[in-house]
Amino acid sequence: MTTLIDEVAALLAAAAGEETVATWRRDRKGGLTGWCRLPSADSLLAVGRAIASIQGRLSMVTAYLTEKAREKGGREIAYHFDLDGATLTLTVPLPLEGAQVPSLTPIFRNCDWHERELMELYEIQVVGHPDPRRLFLADSVPDAPFERLIPYSTFTNGAGGKALWEKVLAAKEKP
Amino acid sequence: MSSVIELGPHQLALEEPMYFRVKLEGDRVAGLDVQPGQVHRGMEHLVMRRNLYQNITLLERLCSLCSNSHPSTFCSAIEEVAGVAIPERAEYLRAVADEIKRIASHLFCCAVQANLIGQTALFRRAMEVREIMQRSKEAIYGNRMDLAANCIGGVRYDLTPDAAMYLARQMEAMKAPLDELYLQFQNNPAIMARTAGVGVLPRLEAIECAVVGPVARACGIDYDVRKKSPYGAYDRLEFSTSLQQAGDVRARNLVRLAEARQSVSLIEQCLAGLVPGPLCADLLPEIPAGEAVAKSEAPRGELVYYLRTDGTDFPLRLKWRVPSYMNWDALKVMLHGEPVANIPLIVNSIDPCIACTDR
């Protein structure tokens, strides 16, 4: 596995600068996880292409905005890649206002839904996404529900309980 | 002549709500738009408002068929952050619960497909065989679906010598029927006529869509989390990855049935290797600030959890990606050029989980 660690180190340095290094952890069973913070979203496309060049697979994208980060005026997105069993997590710092990331969907086809989902949950713009429609949430739900208080029944589009029946009854009353 | 039709759960023969907008050329599929979110329950939002212990119960209710994979993978993520090693006996017991769920899940998927192609007797047979597993769950865990087997640091159930013997007998009872089902799905001409060469996902497209689990293994992609990134007891268990090359409906079912048969052997190995000892780490651990990624091979494929904590009992962020998540997109490839009549069969052949996808 040392070869993988070296390979990733070289790729990250070439794509995002010498100071971008991943630290690796081995779990009790030998499973390898790598953790890396990119300096900014600018290098994301280059790093994505570098990971694709070694047959890395995009596993998951996690956007988040914690209270602490909000106070400091920043937020983050973590991109998780699978490298033949090992997992590499790249964390990208973003500003609170006007956060933008380039779309990785042209490189990793399965990034499509991940990016559509994070766009509707957080105030993050994914630039160059081929199909930036809402994915899970109804158009009636306000933008970025993970960043502001929205009644639960509105958020889940009244998927259960009183809100749903109010909608059904309202529709029935229409001529 | 091209047209667009809308299909809902009823037309797709699904138990859960998923909607498709399908573009047709004549009676052949030319395009597909999947419209999820009909059963969106805001669970990623909910988990951040419950503490880590409460979330085990909540996550078990995420979906029914992989309801052991979610809490066990979540617990693994917490254990990784807290640096807790679970006792050896607990590792085996987690694997037993996982494999029982895998057999039941795979058989359910194959049964539904038999029903869709009009093989009612085969559907009944597969469900009958699955019933052996359902009864085992009920006998051991007291429940036919959610097992409540996991806790942070180990498991919440034990197998007494009597229970272990009972489970071993149930496993013995599974062997011949599973072999028989495999032969049916492999060779029965009536089943082959409806499944071979249907809904093909070529290997290169499978890699591009990043599909996982039986859908990927049916395309010749040799990836099983239990092998690639072993967890729990799997590093001590003997098994091989089930592979097929054709990438069609038949191949996906053969992978599932081979895996179900293998799960029987895995449970037997766990019963044989069940060392005495505690079921859970001594103390409820303090969960420090940190982050971890945990993975497991759920019945439908790789399940990934990312946990970020800040030293309190509440997760700062908990995100998971289910195996079905990429399979929906792969349906665009599988369905292309297929007649409308094959849509429900092909959709069910990916063993879709809508509750998991929507969360």
Side-chain angles (χ1 to χ4, degrees), chain B residues 162-174:
Chain B
D162 274 355
M165 223 147 72
Y166 162 80
L167 190 57
R169 278 201 307 276
Q170 298 289 85
M171 288 303 115
E172 204 53 52
M174 289 297 289

Side-chain angles (χ1 to χ4, degrees), chain B residues 272-291:
Chain B
L274 206 55
V275 288
L279 299 169
C280 189
D282 289 343
L283 287 169
L284 283 179
E286 285 219 356
I287 319 287
E291 55 184 342

Side-chain angles (χ1 to χ4, degrees), chain A residues 38-116:
Chain A
L38 292 184
S40 75
D42 299 341
S43 53
L44 190 59
L45 271 179
V47 173
R49 280 193 209 103
I51 289 171
S53 73
I54 54 164
Q55 279 76 51
R57 168 168 62 88
L58 181 91
S59 291
M60 183 163 74
V61 182
T62 312
Y64 50 90
L65 174 60
T66 62
E67 273 312 310
K68 222 182 259 175
R70 194 198 290 264
E71 283 158 20
K72 284 186 190 161
R75 65 168 89 228
E76 288 173 356
I77 301 185
Y79 293 84
H80 315 273
F81 295 93
D82 177 90
L83 302 167
D84 201 33
T87 312
L88 175 65
T89 298
L90 296 174
T91 307
V92 182
L94 293 171
L96 201 54
E97 307 281 331
Q100 280 192 346
V101 282
S103 173
L104 290 190
T105 305
I107 305 170
F108 302 97
R109 174 175 167 158
N110 69 325
C111 200
D112 177 6
W113 276 26
H114 291 285
E115 288 178 340
R116 280 173 71 182

Side-chain angles (χ1 to χ4, degrees), chain B residues 198-278:
Chain B
V198 173
V200 176
L201 178 66
R203 190 171 190 275
L204 284 178
E205 266 106 330
I207 295 171
E208 202 192 322
C209 295
V211 292
V212 292
V215 174
R217 291 191 285 275
C219 307
I221 298 174
D222 187 357
Y223 197 103
D224 186 317
V225 182
R226 293 172 295 175
K227 282 273 177 210
K228 288 280 183 191
S229 181
Y231 54 97
Y234 289 107
D235 57 338
R236 297 187 293 280
L237 301 175
E238 285 280 321
F239 67 104
S240 56
T241 311
S242 309
L243 281 179
Q244 288 282 326
Q245 304 298 332
D248 54 8
V249 172
R250 176 172 173 265
R252 290 192 270 282
N253 286 332
L254 292 182
V255 166
R256 287 192 188 101
L257 289 165
E259 283 182 4
R261 182 66 184 80
Q262 202 174 57
S263 296
V264 170
S265 149
L266 287 171
I267 293 170
E268 286 181 335
Q269 289 177 47
C270 287
L271 293 177
L274 206 55
V275 288

Side-chain angles (χ1 to χ4, degrees), chain B residues 108-121:
Chain B
F108 185 71
C109 176
C110 293
V112 168
Q113 290 174 70
N115 197 34
L116 280 172
I117 57 173
Q119 297 283 339
T120 320

Side-chain angles (χ1 to χ4, degrees), chain B residues 327-338:
Chain B
N327 290 343
W328 296 104
D329 187 41
L331 278 176
K332 286 179 188 160
V333 182
M334 292 180 200
L335 288 174
H336 193 86
E338 289 285 346

